Amino acid sequence: MKKILVNIAMSLMVVALAVSCSNNETADNQVEEPKTETDTICSAPLIAMQDCQQQMSAELFAGQDDELLKKILPDGTAEASINVFMQERGERIVLFDAGLGASRNGRLLANLDSVGVLPDEITDICITHFHGDHIGGLLSPEGEAVFKNAKLHFSDLELEAWTIGALKDKNEMVEKMLFAYEGRCETFQAGDTIVDGIITISAPGHTPGHTMYDVGDAIVVGDLMHAVVLQVEHPEFSAKYDFEPELAAQTRKAMLEIARTSHKPLAGMHFPKPFIIEL
């Protein structure tokens, strides 16, 4: 990694509320280079909100190259985080994922309050995938919708995997989410353009419908990497959370190459401070 930016060209604002918590994570197409169209360029700041501070254990990567792993992570951990991103796009206020949720010490609502945004002002939520540390913040402890006026956007492949596919037996939270936001869920296919020019990018491997979002000035990459210090130079390492480890590694390698050639910063849901990197 050549550099990590605290302030990227689009005037990144970082809301860093550090809270300790435990990590809890519970695809067939190659990643495609995002299109570059004039109407997709957004100069509004992408606001990074740390939902929870985190450490990733080296054990998540054990058995792949333990000697190299020990060299890169000598103390057995990698700095990480659980992050949510927000961006104003015209008249819309968009969240990318929703973090853990208040019942699991997620800080999303406090973070929104700190930048003067009310939950009812959120118009759209773009979900990278359905793991609990990405959709938990959509629900109150009572299972009700936290964002009363927001539309949810997610991959049709992700919905299929968690409702009738390989992950259907792990979908209790997904069912609650779909019930709470009934009538306000919209699926897309990879490559579709949604919400004022956001381009969806297929990124399979972590989950079948794992999706990244090109917001113009940056790419929100979800769980492309769980341990940046390891995987940015060694993308062949996949975490045990990845549903299809080999496919996840292929996606990671392709996306990192795209990032290096396009010079677009990457915003990751498990990236440590400053939460957005440029390669």
Side-chain angles (χ1 to χ4, degrees):
M1 188 188 317
K2 295 181 179 178
K3 55 182 175 178
I4 297 180
L5 301 183
V6 178
N7 296 300
I8 63 176
M10 58 184 179
S11 304
L12 168 69
M13 180 189 301
V14 173
V15 179
L17 299 179
V19 185
S20 63
C21 69
S22 60
N23 182 52
N24 56 83
E25 293 260 10
T26 344
D28 299 318
N29 299 321
Q30 295 300 313
V31 61
E32 296 181 0
E33 184 165 359
K35 303 172 186 176
T36 54
E37 302 175 8
T38 302
D39 65 356
T40 68
I41 300 303
C42 183
S43 59
L46 186 66
I47 301 175
M49 299 178 174
Q50 188 183 51
D51 197 50
C52 180
Q53 192 173 12
Q54 195 177 37
Q55 296 276 339
M56 292 290 179
S57 171
E59 288 298 315
L60 296 173
F61 306 95
Q64 299 173 72
D65 187 337
D66 291 343
E67 184 176 347
L68 179 59
L69 186 63
K70 179 65 175 178
K71 182 178 179 180
I72 297 174
L73 302 178
D75 65 352
T77 62
E79 288 294 327
S81 186
I82 295 176
N83 306 318
V84 176
F85 296 90
M86 187 187 81
Q87 188 177 53
E88 293 188 43
R89 300 183 69 90
E91 298 299 315
R92 311 184 81 85
I93 302 179
V94 183
L95 285 182
F96 297 90
D97 287 347
L100 287 162
S103 62
R104 293 191 288 170
N105 297 321
R107 297 285 300 175
L108 177 56
L109 295 182
N111 286 339
L112 289 173
D113 182 67
S114 73
V115 294
V117 174
L118 298 173
D120 288 356
E121 293 179 292
I122 300 298
T123 61
D124 301 88
I125 303 173
C126 297
I127 299 172
T128 62
H129 63 292
F130 287 172
H131 282 159
D133 55 337
H134 297 259
I135 65 171
L138 296 172
L139 300 171
S140 71
E142 296 74 32
E144 298 177 349
V146 170
F147 301 97
K148 305 298 185 183
N149 298 314
K151 178 182 291 185
L152 305 188
H153 304 267
F154 44 77
S155 162
D156 57 351
L157 292 179
E158 190 73 355
L159 179 63
E160 179 181 332
W162 289 86
T163 53
I164 61 174
L167 299 172
K168 64 181 180 180
D169 295 332
K170 303 179 181 180
N171 73 348
E172 180 179 356
M173 186 177 292
V174 174
E175 288 185 343
K176 291 180 179 179
M177 174 192 74
L178 295 174
F179 179 78
Y181 288 85
E182 185 176 7
R184 294 191 283 133
C185 296
E186 186 171 288
T187 61
F188 55 75
Q189 295 181 336
D192 286 353
T193 299
I194 61 173
V195 194
D196 193 37
I198 295 172
I199 299 174
T200 65
I201 306 170
S202 175
H206 182 58
T207 63
H210 182 244
T211 300
M212 300 183 295
Y213 296 94
D214 183 355
V215 301
D217 293 327
I219 302 174
V220 179
V221 298
D223 282 12
L224 184 72
M225 292 183 281
H226 291 80
V228 170
V229 69
L230 170 69
Q231 292 174 290
V232 76
E233 295 296 341
H234 297 280
E236 68 274 14
F237 279 87
S238 287
K240 292 181 179 178
Y241 301 132
D242 290 333
F243 180 67
E244 295 185 71
E246 291 185 6
L247 182 58
Q250 292 173 16
T251 294
R252 191 160 38 254
K253 291 174 184 177
M255 193 63 226
L256 289 173
E257 181 59 30
I258 289 171
R260 290 186 174 100
T261 57
S262 70
H263 305 294
K264 285 195 176 187
L266 305 180
M269 275 54 183
H270 291 295
F271 290 6
K273 286 184 182 182
F275 317 122
I276 296 180
I277 66 173
E278 185 177 19
L279 304 181

